[in-house]
Amino acid sequence: MRIAFFLVVLTGAIFYSYVAFADLGFLSRTGRLGPGFFPRIIGVAAIVMTLWALVDELRARRGPGGAFEQWRDVAVLIAFALGYAVLLRLFGGFVATFLFLLLTLSVLNPGRRLTNGLVAVIVPGVVYLLFDQLLNANMPPALIDLPI
């Protein structure tokens, strides 16, 4: 099941990268970074990480145990993703991403509170700096502004 999942994700990442390289320019006419800059990085990173996970799974060749727990994790992650979409609209990109990562990591990586907390703070912070400061693109706006 995992191998099939990784193959589907790999197919999607390859298609995404194809669109990023074929349809989106790396630089704009003025020589600044264009709309294809960030999607190309994401696409190549998605392909590399999916291939890495696929090779790791092929090496491990685990048995088919724990099917119920796997489907439970899938259902929980889908619920978290839907909740993330709602939080993104209500509280904006930074707060929603922080809460999503904190909840998701606490479920998938239990017992590592420091690591989970650092990832939940650092990832949205880096994304904010990348989009808002470096690329001059705004994070998704919030309906409810929090005094942060």
Side-chain angles (χ1 to χ4, degrees), residues 21-34:
F21 278 92
D23 293 341
L24 300 174
F26 185 73
L27 297 174
S28 68
R29 284 185 263 161
T30 61
R32 295 181 66 188
L33 294 177

Side-chain angles (χ1 to χ4, degrees), residues 71-99:
W71 286 111
R72 183 185 53 112
D73 289 344
V74 168
V76 167
L77 288 177
I78 289 172
F80 283 169
L82 291 172
Y84 177 65
V86 171
L87 288 174
L88 191 64
R89 184 73 177 129
L90 289 176
F91 299 115
F94 186 83
V95 174
T97 304
F98 168 75
L99 292 172

Side-chain angles (χ1 to χ4, degrees), residues 92 107 113:
V107 169
R113 290 185 179 137

Side-chain angles (χ1 to χ4, degrees), residues 5-47:
F5 172 75
F6 287 135
L7 289 174
V8 169
V9 171
L10 181 61
T11 303
I14 290 171
F15 178 73
Y16 176 86
S17 297
Y18 170 75
V19 171
F21 278 92
D23 293 341
L24 300 174
F26 185 73
L27 297 174
S28 68
R29 284 185 263 161
T30 61
R32 295 181 66 188
L33 294 177
F37 172 74
F38 197 63
R40 288 180 184 188
I41 293 172
I42 295 297
V44 170
I47 290 172

